[in-house]
Amino acid sequence: STSDSVVTLLDYGAGNVRSIRNALRHLGFTIKDVQTPGDILNADRLIFPGVGAFSPAMDVLNKTGMAEALCTYIENDRPFLGICLGLQLLFESSEENGPVKGLGLIPGIVGRFDSSAGIRVPHIGWNALQVGKDSEILDDVGNRHVYFVHSYRAIPSNENKEWISSTCNYGDSFISSIRRGNVHAVQFHPEKSGEVGLSVLNRFLHPNLPATQKPMEGKASKLAKRVIACLDVRSNDKGDLVVTKGDQYDVREQSNENEVRNLGKPVDLAGQYYKDGADEISFLNITGFRDFPLGDLPMIQVLRHTSKNVFVPLTVGGGIRDFTDASGRDYSSLEVAAEYFRSGADKISIGSDAVYAAEEFVKSGVKTGKSSLEQISRVYGNQAVVVSIDPRRVYVNHPDDVPYKVIRVTNPGPNGEEYAWYQCTVSGGREGRPIGAYELAKAVEELGAGEILLNCIDCDGQGKGFDIDLVKLISDSVGIPVIASSGAGTPGHFSEVFEKTNASAALAAGIFHRKEVPIQAVKEHLQEEGIEVRI
Ligand code: 1PR
């Protein structure tokens, strides 16, 4: 019957569940949305991708009567799959802005990761599981990594141990999945975990699928270092949206025509990088500072199309700020971000606007709560907000020459200068601002950034390696993950940045676009060097 290919989805409207919809469609299922508690009780199989924060989610579930329906459905052992917050809500309570009462089906309290344990919070990225027996939907996972993004987690105890089907190590051991009968829930995102993640969904949707291989028990691992492919996107002079690439941010050819360099089509390249094993894909709308992204719908289209076939995290940046269009209509940065999330982005990245917000904050010491960064982070969580920094190296002779954090550089400047600071810029490097990358990184962490994308204008497109001094400075100064960017030319540059700094991820553009180094070669090199990566 047709109901064999229908899956009921509980989407209470808190954010992006587009990826899960795309993944379910990709697996050949049609989606029936829950409108009433009765739809839950009548479902043949129910997926609950919790989105947003614990407390507002519980409020909605309680107010609509869905909480009770969910409890009944689960107590009746009906096929259920909770994802991320959809796992956490099954527990007794959460410390997230709480304590807040949960559905209370599983004993235990959901608490925050302890960042004093020397780990970065949020837990963002690919980690392996210790899979127990009878996990069923994890049968194809084995040693392979799955994608997590969360700041809160439930921990194993004597009271909940019979629910646990896998655990994961991050600082301590936390519950990465539960299973009892037909009821499953996972802390990771199967819809963002590539082919392995799709297999988890597929096994939930087809419970009697024979094991293709002997189920492997995963072993303890560390969070993998991520390799990210970045697509700088803009319209060329003919008006086509292209992937371009700068040379120290200059994206025009050094020819008479002075054209915008064209390295391919955004959707095609993103699809290719997904197949090649990119752990994440970033789109930067590099003229977003002057073209309003909602007026310029192509970026939204790029996200919509890409997210249909690409099942790893997608970040989009460029032009996220308050804006008044030609007709006088005001848009808030939150609306711009919301549209990006709705179109398939998992994270948004803020450049220029975060610099202004950080300058204000450093000056006044007051969090107004009004900056784009603060607002988007409050609504979508800090794991969804990346701040992209575009610093330029400025050499100085003495550490106290400027009122910014100065470091001793590994390679002296052109006049033998032994020190430098890193000046932040806005508008794609066109304007230097009175704030350093160090001061900015500390400030945006305070204001709610969940991750830093650390570019370096001097190194961009040079292929001579990452700016190790800069990446070390920033990754040692903040507790959120730092993505090293700009300058990758060889696989060795990736191992260098991971061996010498605390970067959590490394991003490259030119070498991938020009097909000089395949992503797989980078991964294999890192693995040979003993660095944990997702293969
Ligand atoms: O200010 O919020 O509108 O955001 C604009 C965004 O666009 C920022 O994230 C900013 O970094 C980016 N951007 C603006 N202009 C450029 C440019 O190149 N002219 N690109 C630009 C950012 C750096 C990386 C590049 C790495 C790796 N470019 O995206 O991919 O440097 O390159 P490589 O591996 O080839 O060395 P807002």
Side-chain angles (χ1 to χ4, degrees), residues 54 88 93-98 109-117 119-124 150-155 170-174 187 377 381-383 445-446 448-450 479-481:
F54 196 99
Q88 297 180 5
S93 68
S94 170
E95 289 169 1
E96 185 174 2
N97 304 318
I109 295 166
V110 178
R112 194 167 198 274
F113 278 113
D114 180 7
S115 49
S116 68
I119 53 166
R120 285 169 203 268
V121 182
H123 175 220
I124 299 184
H150 58 133
S151 297
Y152 291 81
R153 85 287 183 250
I155 48 177
Y170 192 62
D172 50 20
S173 170
F174 70 88
Q187 178 61 66
S377 168
N382 69 345
Q383 81 294 331
E445 178 176 31
E446 279 282 303
I480 52 178

Side-chain angles (χ1 to χ4, degrees), residues 230-232 244-251 284-290 317-321 349-354 387-390 425-430 453 455-456 459-463 466 485-489 507-514:
C230 181
L231 289 79
D232 289 354
T244 190
K245 184 65 219 52
D247 178 1
Q248 300 187 326
Y249 282 40
D250 181 358
V251 299
L284 298 175
N285 175 0
I286 67 168
T287 52
F289 69 91
R290 60 168 181 250
I320 296 174
R321 68 201 145 100
S349 148
I350 310 177
S352 308
D353 206 57
V387 166
S388 164
I389 317 187
D390 301 313
T425 65
V426 293
S427 307
R430 286 168 183 79
L453 164 50
N455 301 293
C456 177
C459 297
D460 174 57
Q462 305 307 296
F466 297 95
S485 165
S486 303
L507 172 152
I511 52 167
F512 299 147
H513 303 336
R514 294 187 304 267

Side-chain angles (χ1 to χ4, degrees), residues 254-364:
Q254 300 304 309
S255 63
N256 289 342
E257 287 75 31
N258 220 232
E259 299 161 312
V260 170
R261 236 173 252 126
N262 179 350
L263 291 157
K265 294 191 181 136
V267 179
D268 295 352
L269 272 186
Q272 186 60 48
Y273 295 151
Y274 169 63
K275 289 199 195 104
D276 293 347
D279 295 320
E280 210 168 301
I281 293 167
S282 291
F283 294 103
L284 298 175
N285 175 0
I286 67 168
T287 52
F289 69 91
R290 60 168 181 250
D291 306 329
F292 181 56
L294 298 189
D296 175 23
L297 284 169
M299 246 351 236
I300 306 281
Q301 295 298 350
V302 165
L303 276 172
R304 285 191 187 139
H305 288 300
T306 302
S307 62
K308 275 188 196 146
N309 300 305
V310 171
F311 300 105
V312 293
L314 301 176
T315 301
V316 64
I320 296 174
R321 68 201 145 100
D322 298 336
F323 188 84
T324 305
D325 74 8
S327 67
R329 164 136 160 44
D330 293 321
Y331 293 86
S332 72
S333 58
L334 206 53
E335 283 174 82
V336 182
E339 192 55 39
Y340 276 150
F341 287 127
R342 263 197 298 276
S343 307
D346 300 285
K347 308 189 240 187
I348 56 88
S349 148
I350 310 177
S352 308
D353 206 57
V355 178
Y356 300 126
E359 285 180 34
E360 272 307 307
F361 177 57
V362 169
K363 224 184 292 166
S364 67

